[in-house]
Amino acid sequence: MLFFDFLHSLQNVEKTRNFNVFKDYSLNELSELFLFLKSKHKIHKPVRISVVGTNGKGSTSHYLASLLSLLGYKTGLYTSPHLLTPLERFQIFLEGKPEAPREEDVDSFFQHTILPDLERYQSLSYFEFLTVFAYLYFAKENTDFEIWEAGLGGRLDSTKLVYADFVILTKIGLDHSEILGDTKEKICLEKLGIITEVCRNLVVMDPEDDSLQTLIQNFSKGKTETHFLPLEKKLTYLETNFLFSQAALIHLVPNLTTKLKSISFGSVEKPRGRMEVLQTFPEVVFDPAHNPDAIATTTQEFAKTHPSFSLLLGSLPDKDREGILSQLIGLPLQSLILWEGNGFGAFPELPQVLKPITTKVRTDEELRPLFQGRFPVLVLGSFRIYGIVAKLIQNTTNM
């Protein structure tokens, strides 16, 4: 059996969106597996940093790993979801550049490390298994630092079991409300639940919300110290998150301050899939923004440099599509294309002002003309759209 054969046999909630499985979920069984792994395998002890939040955690995780690797530290990054292959979820950063493992190396590692005890892994979910596999893979790679981006929430997220030395909390917004809670305060508490007794510091991206700030300040877990970092807002959210990541590391590892301050935003490789230019003419830019707050941030940022553009938007069934649509009013949109293909949700009644410029599509071929026109295109809503658009652009270019 090979790595992908086993992985794709597991329950994948990211794909099914069946979040009912979390109603009676606990980390107890997975915790026992981690204890077994620690006793059987030689798990070295790097510095581990957990990143939780609603918006900004993916790019923040990337910049943390980039910065540390530029300083000479071999850094593992566990992140989700992926753009094209699950191998992107556990990458090693060296000299500021991420490198996904080769499939043949992963297969070899799977056969030597997982197969002998396969029965212990068969009840895991897709995300749980990837978390465990990354934990073992990073140990094999003898990383100096590890960055663990939480998947969903924090209190019941499998990444909690890596027992991070530090936790970084990014922006809190309303997303996955049916699981995490229907207010930002409830969601914040679920995110903070990732903190364990070994966590020494909690670094918080200034929530700019008095109720959240009070809640976080009053949240106590062992000897964890809490520190709020004001945001230095720039023209792009990526630069803002880079500066936050830089400031967070300066706070957590103060002996690296001088070296960290010498690294500029422009010298660091941007994360794939975040405001990534997929084509230059017409310009096609992708970002995975998928909730109202993130949609507002990315569209307003794009509008500052694009006086008129088309927007391709897809949304998974569990997202707040009505809230997302409300953020589009007033934008300089040439056209709005709503992607309702397989696995995506159908959009509700449109605001009146958007109806004249909107088209709903369900097939790849209906999208092709969009990438052959004159107007820039911003693509938002889900990581799943990335592969669709990238393939269409490549096929169009090769015609």
Side-chain angles (χ1 to χ4, degrees):
M1 179 180 286
L2 300 177
F3 171 81
F4 278 116
D5 295 329
F6 182 70
L7 178 64
H8 293 316
S9 73
L10 302 176
Q11 182 185 39
N12 186 354
V13 177
E14 296 173 32
K15 184 175 182 180
T16 65
R17 317 305 288 180
N18 178 24
F19 295 118
N20 290 326
V21 298
F22 292 113
K23 286 183 177 179
D24 301 309
Y25 182 77
S26 81
L27 291 173
N28 293 341
E29 289 187 18
L30 189 59
S31 181
E32 291 178 7
L33 177 58
F34 269 89
L35 290 173
F36 165 76
L37 296 176
K38 290 176 184 178
S39 66
K40 178 174 180 176
H41 300 281
K42 186 178 180 181
I43 305 294
H44 75 303
K45 184 61 179 77
V47 178
R48 296 190 176 104
I49 301 174
S50 284
V51 182
V52 293
T54 307
N55 296 319
K57 61 179 179 169
S59 55
T60 295
S61 298
H62 169 90
Y63 285 126
L64 291 169
S66 292
L67 286 165
L68 288 166
S69 68
L70 283 169
L71 297 184
Y73 296 103
K74 190 175 187 180
T75 305
L77 172 63
Y78 179 71
T79 186
S80 64
H82 57 267
L83 295 171
L84 299 174
T85 169
L87 299 181
E88 299 166 11
R89 298 193 183 207
F90 45 101
Q91 301 190 73
I92 300 295
F93 277 65
L94 292 170
E95 298 180 352
K97 297 186 181 299
E99 185 173 336
R102 299 186 307 169
E103 185 174 340
E104 55 265 37
D105 293 337
V106 168
D107 280 334
S108 176
F109 185 66
F110 173 82
Q111 290 167 353
H112 285 93
T113 308
I114 303 297
L115 271 184
D117 302 300
L118 189 63
E119 70 282 355
R120 292 180 179 271
Y121 302 92
Q122 289 174 328
S123 63
L124 299 183
S125 70
Y126 185 94
F127 185 79
E128 288 173 331
F129 174 70
L130 284 171
T131 303
V132 170
F133 192 85
Y135 182 75
L136 293 170
Y137 181 78
F138 290 157
K140 177 186 80 73
E141 290 293 315
N142 199 32
T143 49
D144 300 309
F145 280 83
E146 294 173 7
I147 312 300
W148 292 84
E149 180 193 355
L152 181 64
R155 181 177 63 90
L156 295 176
D157 195 89
S158 59
T159 61
K160 177 177 180 173
L161 297 178
V162 306
Y163 286 89
D165 303 279
F166 306 118
V167 170
I168 291 179
L169 177 66
T170 64
K171 285 293 185 182
I172 297 296
L174 292 174
D175 198 10
H176 298 296
S177 298
E178 71 281 7
I179 309 163
L180 304 179
D182 56 3
T183 67
K184 288 186 179 181
E185 289 75 17
K186 291 178 182 177
I187 291 172
C188 187
L189 282 173
E190 284 291 321
K191 304 285 186 182
L192 291 172
I194 203 167
I195 296 174
T196 67
E197 63 275 9
V198 306
C199 179
R200 289 176 274 163
N201 288 90
L202 167 67
V203 176
V204 183
M205 184 182 282
D206 187 358
E208 301 174 326
D209 183 310
D210 289 342
S211 65
L212 286 181
Q213 186 150 344
T214 300
L215 183 152
I216 295 167
Q217 284 174 330
N218 292 335
F219 188 89
S220 176
K221 189 76 85 166
K223 298 180 180 179
T224 303
E225 296 182 7
T226 301
H227 185 76
F228 291 86
L229 288 180
L231 278 181
E232 186 178 348
K233 293 191 175 179
K234 296 295 184 178
L235 288 177
T236 71
Y237 83 81
L238 287 177
E239 185 171 6
T240 298
N241 292 349
F242 165 81
L243 292 172
F244 169 73
S245 304
Q246 190 178 50
L249 287 176
I250 287 171
H251 176 75
L252 296 174
V253 197
N255 62 305
L256 299 179
T257 298
T258 302
K259 291 181 179 179
L260 282 166
K261 285 186 174 180
S262 70
I263 303 173
S264 67
F265 171 66
S267 67
V268 177
E269 192 171 296
K270 294 180 181 179
R272 285 188 66 195
R274 267 76 177 188
M275 298 304 281
E276 180 181 346
V277 178
L278 300 180
Q279 178 176 282
T280 54
F281 187 81
E283 184 181 17
V284 179
V285 176
F286 172 86
D287 193 272
H290 57 266
N291 58 59
D293 288 343
I295 293 289
T297 296
T298 49
T299 53
Q300 290 169 20
E301 179 179 310
F302 198 73
K304 289 177 183 177
T305 53
H306 297 79
S308 183
F309 62 94
S310 295
L311 177 63
L312 170 59
L313 178 66
S315 184
L316 297 179
D318 56 299
K319 301 302 177 184
D320 179 10
R321 290 182 293 283
E322 186 173 343
I324 288 171
L325 290 173
S326 70
Q327 299 296 331
L328 308 183
I329 297 172
L331 292 171
L333 295 180
Q334 173 67 22
S335 61
L336 171 62
I337 298 88
L338 300 179
W339 174 253
E340 296 184 344
N342 186 38
F344 286 78
F347 283 86
E349 179 73 13
L350 290 163
Q352 191 61 41
V353 68
L354 296 178
K355 289 182 178 179
I357 61 169
T358 301
T359 304
K360 294 184 178 183
V361 299
R362 295 182 58 85
T363 66
D364 295 5
E365 283 305 309
E366 292 176 280
L367 287 180
R368 191 182 299 279
L370 183 63
F371 309 121
Q372 300 170 320
R374 295 183 296 111
F375 289 94
V377 182
L378 178 61
V379 183
L380 302 176
S382 171
F383 276 94
R384 295 189 194 181
I385 304 179
Y386 184 94
I388 297 170
V389 172
K391 183 177 179 181
L392 276 172
I393 288 175
Q394 182 180 17
N395 291 343
T396 300
T397 304
N398 294 336
M399 285 177 64

